[in-house]
Amino acid sequence: MSTTDPALARRLREQARVGSSGALVRLLVSDLLLIVGAALLVRGMFAFAEIPADGTDDPPLGVFGIAAGLPIVLLSTFMHVGALRRYTGKLLGRSPFLGTMPLVFVGFAAGAWWGWATTRDAWLWIPLAVTAVAALLVVLSVSARVGRTRQDGVLDEVAATGRIVPAVVTDIAEIDPSSGGLIGPITVKFTDASGTDRWVTKLGQWRRADLPKKGDPASVLFDPSAPGDTRRIWVGPAGARGAQDFRM
Protein backbone atom coordinates (compact mmCIF):
# COMPACT_ATOMS: atom_id res chain seq x y z
CA MET A 1 0.00 0.00 0.00
CA SER A 2 1.19 3.50 -0.81
CA THR A 3 0.04 7.01 0.03
CA THR A 4 1.07 8.31 -3.42
CA ASP A 5 -0.26 7.52 -6.87
CA PRO A 6 2.37 5.23 -8.48
CA ALA A 7 1.32 6.26 -12.00
CA LEU A 8 1.77 9.94 -11.10
CA ALA A 9 5.12 9.22 -9.43
CA ARG A 10 6.32 7.38 -12.55
CA ARG A 11 5.19 10.26 -14.77
CA LEU A 12 7.04 12.78 -12.59
CA ARG A 13 10.21 10.68 -12.75
CA GLU A 14 9.95 10.51 -16.54
CA GLN A 15 9.42 14.27 -16.77
CA ALA A 16 12.47 14.85 -14.59
CA ARG A 17 14.62 12.84 -17.01
CA VAL A 18 13.52 14.84 -20.08
CA GLY A 19 16.48 16.81 -21.37
CA SER A 20 18.77 15.49 -18.63
CA SER A 21 22.52 15.30 -19.19
CA GLY A 22 22.52 11.62 -18.16
CA ALA A 23 20.03 10.70 -20.90
CA LEU A 24 22.01 12.78 -23.41
CA VAL A 25 25.25 10.96 -22.52
CA ARG A 26 23.53 7.58 -22.90
CA LEU A 27 22.22 8.67 -26.28
CA LEU A 28 25.66 9.81 -27.41
CA VAL A 29 27.29 6.56 -26.24
CA SER A 30 24.66 4.46 -28.02
CA ASP A 31 25.20 6.39 -31.25
CA LEU A 32 28.97 5.95 -31.08
CA LEU A 33 28.56 2.23 -30.39
CA LEU A 34 26.19 1.97 -33.35
CA ILE A 35 28.85 3.41 -35.66
CA VAL A 36 31.54 1.12 -34.22
CA GLY A 37 29.34 -1.96 -34.51
CA ALA A 38 28.39 -1.18 -38.11
CA ALA A 39 32.05 -0.61 -39.01
CA LEU A 40 33.11 -3.93 -37.48
CA LEU A 41 30.31 -5.72 -39.30
CA VAL A 42 31.38 -4.52 -42.75
CA ARG A 43 35.06 -4.94 -41.95
CA GLY A 44 34.35 -8.57 -41.12
CA MET A 45 32.69 -9.09 -44.50
CA PHE A 46 35.77 -7.75 -46.29
CA ALA A 47 37.95 -10.14 -44.31
CA PHE A 48 36.52 -13.10 -46.21
CA ALA A 49 38.56 -11.94 -49.21
CA GLU A 50 41.73 -12.47 -47.13
CA ILE A 51 41.06 -16.19 -46.65
CA PRO A 52 43.42 -18.26 -48.86
CA ALA A 53 41.73 -20.16 -51.66
CA ASP A 54 43.17 -23.46 -50.43
CA GLY A 55 41.90 -22.82 -46.90
CA THR A 56 45.18 -23.95 -45.32
CA ASP A 57 45.63 -20.95 -43.04
CA ASP A 58 43.48 -19.90 -40.12
CA PRO A 59 40.83 -17.27 -40.97
CA PRO A 60 42.00 -13.68 -40.51
CA LEU A 61 41.00 -11.92 -37.30
CA GLY A 62 38.92 -9.46 -39.28
CA VAL A 63 36.31 -12.16 -39.93
CA PHE A 64 35.39 -12.09 -36.26
CA GLY A 65 34.27 -8.49 -36.73
CA ILE A 66 30.92 -9.91 -37.84
CA ALA A 67 30.50 -11.80 -34.56
CA ALA A 68 31.35 -8.64 -32.60
CA GLY A 69 29.66 -6.06 -34.83
CA LEU A 70 26.19 -7.60 -35.10
CA PRO A 71 25.52 -7.78 -31.32
CA ILE A 72 26.89 -4.26 -30.87
CA VAL A 73 24.54 -2.92 -33.58
CA LEU A 74 21.52 -4.64 -32.05
CA LEU A 75 22.28 -3.66 -28.45
CA SER A 76 23.18 -0.06 -29.32
CA THR A 77 19.95 0.28 -31.32
CA PHE A 78 17.88 -0.76 -28.31
CA MET A 79 19.98 1.52 -26.12
CA HIS A 80 19.42 4.39 -28.56
CA VAL A 81 15.63 3.96 -28.49
CA GLY A 82 15.52 3.83 -24.69
CA ALA A 83 17.83 6.81 -24.24
CA LEU A 84 15.89 8.83 -26.81
CA ARG A 85 12.62 8.19 -24.97
CA ARG A 86 14.21 9.30 -21.71
CA TYR A 87 15.75 12.40 -23.27
CA THR A 88 12.68 13.55 -25.20
CA GLY A 89 9.88 12.08 -23.10
CA LYS A 90 8.26 10.93 -26.36
CA LEU A 91 7.39 7.48 -27.66
CA LEU A 92 9.46 8.31 -30.75
CA GLY A 93 11.35 11.54 -30.15
CA ARG A 94 13.76 13.55 -32.24
CA SER A 95 17.40 12.83 -31.69
CA PRO A 96 19.65 15.89 -31.15
CA PHE A 97 22.14 14.02 -33.33
CA LEU A 98 21.63 12.04 -36.54
CA GLY A 99 19.03 9.29 -36.81
CA THR A 100 19.95 5.62 -36.56
CA MET A 101 19.96 4.92 -40.32
CA PRO A 102 22.50 7.66 -41.23
CA LEU A 103 24.67 6.56 -38.29
CA VAL A 104 24.59 2.92 -39.41
CA PHE A 105 25.69 3.88 -42.92
CA VAL A 106 28.43 6.14 -41.57
CA GLY A 107 29.69 3.04 -39.75
CA PHE A 108 29.26 0.95 -42.90
CA ALA A 109 31.34 3.48 -44.85
CA ALA A 110 34.08 3.48 -42.22
CA GLY A 111 34.14 -0.32 -42.21
CA ALA A 112 34.21 -0.46 -46.01
CA TRP A 113 37.23 1.85 -46.23
CA TRP A 114 38.89 -0.08 -43.41
CA GLY A 115 38.33 -3.36 -45.23
CA TRP A 116 39.44 -1.98 -48.57
CA ALA A 117 42.64 -0.56 -47.05
CA THR A 118 43.41 -4.02 -45.65
CA THR A 119 42.61 -6.16 -48.68
CA ARG A 120 43.45 -3.67 -51.47
CA ASP A 121 41.50 -5.84 -53.88
CA ALA A 122 39.60 -4.55 -56.90
CA TRP A 123 36.67 -3.44 -54.74
CA LEU A 124 37.16 0.31 -54.60
CA TRP A 125 33.63 0.88 -55.89
CA ILE A 126 32.18 -0.68 -52.71
CA PRO A 127 33.51 1.90 -50.20
CA LEU A 128 32.79 4.67 -52.70
CA ALA A 129 29.17 3.53 -53.13
CA VAL A 130 28.59 3.05 -49.40
CA THR A 131 30.11 6.47 -48.67
CA ALA A 132 27.81 8.06 -51.26
CA VAL A 133 24.75 6.46 -49.64
CA ALA A 134 25.94 7.54 -46.17
CA ALA A 135 26.44 11.12 -47.40
CA LEU A 136 22.99 11.16 -48.99
CA LEU A 137 21.34 9.93 -45.77
CA VAL A 138 23.19 12.53 -43.72
CA VAL A 139 22.06 15.30 -46.08
CA LEU A 140 18.46 14.06 -45.97
CA SER A 141 18.58 13.86 -42.18
CA VAL A 142 19.91 17.40 -41.88
CA SER A 143 17.30 18.64 -44.38
CA ALA A 144 14.52 16.97 -42.39
CA ARG A 145 15.85 18.59 -39.22
CA VAL A 146 15.79 22.00 -40.91
CA GLY A 147 12.20 21.37 -42.00
CA ARG A 148 11.16 20.36 -38.48
CA THR A 149 12.88 23.44 -37.07
CA ARG A 150 10.95 25.62 -39.52
CA GLN A 151 7.68 23.92 -38.54
CA ASP A 152 8.53 24.40 -34.87
CA GLY A 153 8.94 28.09 -35.62
CA VAL A 154 5.45 28.19 -37.11
CA LEU A 155 4.13 26.39 -34.02
CA ASP A 156 5.77 28.93 -31.71
CA GLU A 157 4.30 31.76 -33.78
CA VAL A 158 0.76 30.36 -33.70
CA ALA A 159 1.10 29.53 -29.99
CA ALA A 160 1.87 33.21 -29.34
CA THR A 161 -0.84 34.70 -31.55
CA GLY A 162 -3.43 31.93 -32.01
CA ARG A 163 -6.01 30.28 -29.80
CA ILE A 164 -6.12 27.12 -27.71
CA VAL A 165 -9.62 25.67 -27.38
CA PRO A 166 -11.01 22.47 -25.85
CA ALA A 167 -11.72 19.56 -28.18
CA VAL A 168 -13.15 16.07 -28.05
CA VAL A 169 -11.56 12.94 -29.50
CA THR A 170 -13.92 11.49 -32.11
CA ASP A 171 -11.68 8.81 -33.57
CA ILE A 172 -8.40 7.15 -32.62
CA ALA A 173 -6.91 3.78 -33.40
CA GLU A 174 -7.05 0.96 -30.88
CA ILE A 175 -3.79 -0.67 -29.86
CA ASP A 176 -2.82 -4.19 -28.90
CA PRO A 177 -2.64 -4.80 -25.12
CA SER A 178 1.07 -5.55 -25.45
CA SER A 179 1.84 -2.28 -27.27
CA GLY A 180 3.78 0.43 -25.48
CA GLY A 181 1.87 3.23 -27.16
CA LEU A 182 0.57 4.60 -30.44
CA ILE A 183 1.98 6.64 -33.28
CA GLY A 184 -0.88 7.38 -35.63
CA PRO A 185 -3.76 9.67 -36.59
CA ILE A 186 -6.25 11.16 -34.16
CA THR A 187 -9.45 12.99 -35.13
CA VAL A 188 -10.88 15.65 -32.83
CA LYS A 189 -13.81 18.04 -32.93
CA PHE A 190 -13.45 21.67 -31.85
CA THR A 191 -15.23 24.99 -32.28
CA ASP A 192 -13.37 27.83 -33.99
CA ALA A 193 -13.52 31.55 -33.19
CA SER A 194 -16.65 32.07 -35.31
CA GLY A 195 -18.55 29.29 -33.52
CA THR A 196 -18.22 26.79 -36.37
CA ASP A 197 -17.72 23.14 -35.44
CA ARG A 198 -14.71 21.64 -37.17
CA TRP A 199 -13.08 18.24 -37.29
CA VAL A 200 -9.37 17.77 -37.91
CA THR A 201 -7.18 14.68 -38.21
CA LYS A 202 -3.55 15.00 -37.15
CA LEU A 203 -0.68 12.60 -36.55
CA GLY A 204 0.23 12.15 -32.91
CA GLN A 205 2.09 9.88 -30.55
CA TRP A 206 1.22 8.75 -27.05
CA ARG A 207 2.64 6.37 -24.53
CA ARG A 208 0.23 3.72 -23.34
CA ALA A 209 -0.47 5.47 -20.02
CA ASP A 210 -1.32 8.74 -21.81
CA LEU A 211 -3.29 7.30 -24.74
CA PRO A 212 -6.69 9.02 -25.06
CA LYS A 213 -9.86 7.20 -25.99
CA LYS A 214 -12.83 8.16 -28.13
CA GLY A 215 -14.83 10.78 -26.25
CA ASP A 216 -11.90 11.94 -24.13
CA PRO A 217 -11.12 15.67 -23.92
CA ALA A 218 -8.22 17.17 -25.85
CA SER A 219 -6.94 20.60 -26.88
CA VAL A 220 -6.52 22.27 -30.25
CA LEU A 221 -4.19 25.12 -31.13
CA PHE A 222 -5.15 26.95 -34.33
CA ASP A 223 -4.64 30.18 -36.23
CA PRO A 224 -7.90 32.21 -36.08
CA SER A 225 -7.01 33.94 -39.36
CA ALA A 226 -6.86 30.56 -41.16
CA PRO A 227 -8.99 28.09 -39.19
CA GLY A 228 -9.27 25.76 -42.18
CA ASP A 229 -5.50 25.47 -42.74
CA THR A 230 -4.62 22.10 -41.20
CA ARG A 231 -0.90 22.97 -41.42
CA ARG A 232 -1.55 25.59 -38.74
CA ILE A 233 -3.56 23.33 -36.44
CA TRP A 234 -2.11 21.15 -33.69
CA VAL A 235 -3.76 18.65 -31.36
CA GLY A 236 -2.57 18.27 -27.79
CA PRO A 237 -3.66 16.86 -24.44
CA ALA A 238 -6.53 18.32 -22.46
CA GLY A 239 -5.46 21.42 -20.56
CA ALA A 240 -2.57 22.24 -22.91
CA ARG A 241 -1.22 25.74 -22.37
CA GLY A 242 1.78 26.30 -24.59
CA ALA A 243 3.71 25.23 -27.67
CA GLN A 244 5.55 22.45 -25.85
CA ASP A 245 2.27 20.63 -25.19
CA PHE A 246 1.60 20.44 -28.95
CA ARG A 247 5.13 19.61 -30.12
CA MET A 248 5.59 16.14 -31.65
Side-chain angles (χ1 to χ4, degrees):
M1 181 178 293
S2 175
T3 58
T4 59
D5 182 354
L8 176 61
R10 183 181 64 254
R11 190 175 295 111
L12 291 176
R13 287 195 302 269
E14 291 174 351
Q15 291 175 353
R17 288 194 292 259
V18 172
S20 68
S21 57
L24 183 62
V25 169
R26 286 186 58 184
L27 186 59
L28 178 60
V29 170
S30 70
D31 287 354
L32 291 175
L33 286 175
L34 189 59
I35 294 175
V36 171
L40 286 172
L41 190 59
V42 173
R43 171 64 184 91
M45 294 177 181
F46 268 83
F48 282 105
E50 302 173 38
I51 300 176
D54 56 11
T56 55
D57 295 337
D58 292 331
L61 291 177
V63 171
F64 298 100
I66 297 177
L70 185 57
I72 292 175
V73 168
L74 295 175
L75 290 175
S76 59
T77 299
F78 286 119
M79 183 178 174
H80 172 92
V81 172
L84 190 58
R85 288 185 180 181
R86 285 174 176 263
Y87 183 72
T88 64
K90 301 288 186 180
L91 187 65
L92 184 63
R94 305 176 189 172
S95 173
F97 311 117
L98 295 175
T100 54
M101 191 59 67
L103 290 173
V104 166
F105 271 86
V106 167
F108 285 169
W113 284 110
W114 183 8
W116 177 82
T118 303
T119 60
R120 290 302 177 109
D121 208 336
W123 292 353
L124 180 59
W125 66 270
I126 295 180
L128 288 175
V130 176
T131 301
V133 173
L136 176 61
L137 290 175
V138 169
V139 170
L140 291 176
S141 178
V142 172
S143 299
R145 183 182 298 278
V146 171
R148 290 194 299 264
T149 301
R150 186 181 300 113
Q151 183 64 15
D152 284 344
V154 175
L155 170 58
D156 292 333
E157 173 196 339
V158 176
T161 61
R163 293 190 59 181
I164 298 176
V165 297
V168 176
V169 178
T170 61
D171 189 33
I172 189 169
E174 295 183 1
I175 63 173
D176 186 86
S178 62
S179 175
L182 171 69
I183 300 175
I186 178 175
T187 302
V188 301
K189 174 187 175 183
F190 70 100
T191 303
D192 66 18
S194 64
T196 303
D197 289 340
R198 295 182 181 273
W199 286 259
V200 64
T201 300
K202 302 291 288 186
L203 186 67
Q205 58 172 302
W206 303 266
R207 293 191 176 189
R208 181 169 188 81
D210 303 322
L211 183 65
K213 300 183 294 295
K214 186 176 180 179
D216 282 354
S219 297
V220 165
L221 167 65
F222 70 98
D223 184 350
S225 65
D229 187 353
T230 58
R231 295 171 301 177
R232 298 176 72 85
I233 297 177
W234 291 264
V235 175
R241 296 183 177 181
Q244 188 59 39
D245 294 325
F246 295 92
R247 207 177 305 279
M248 276 283 289

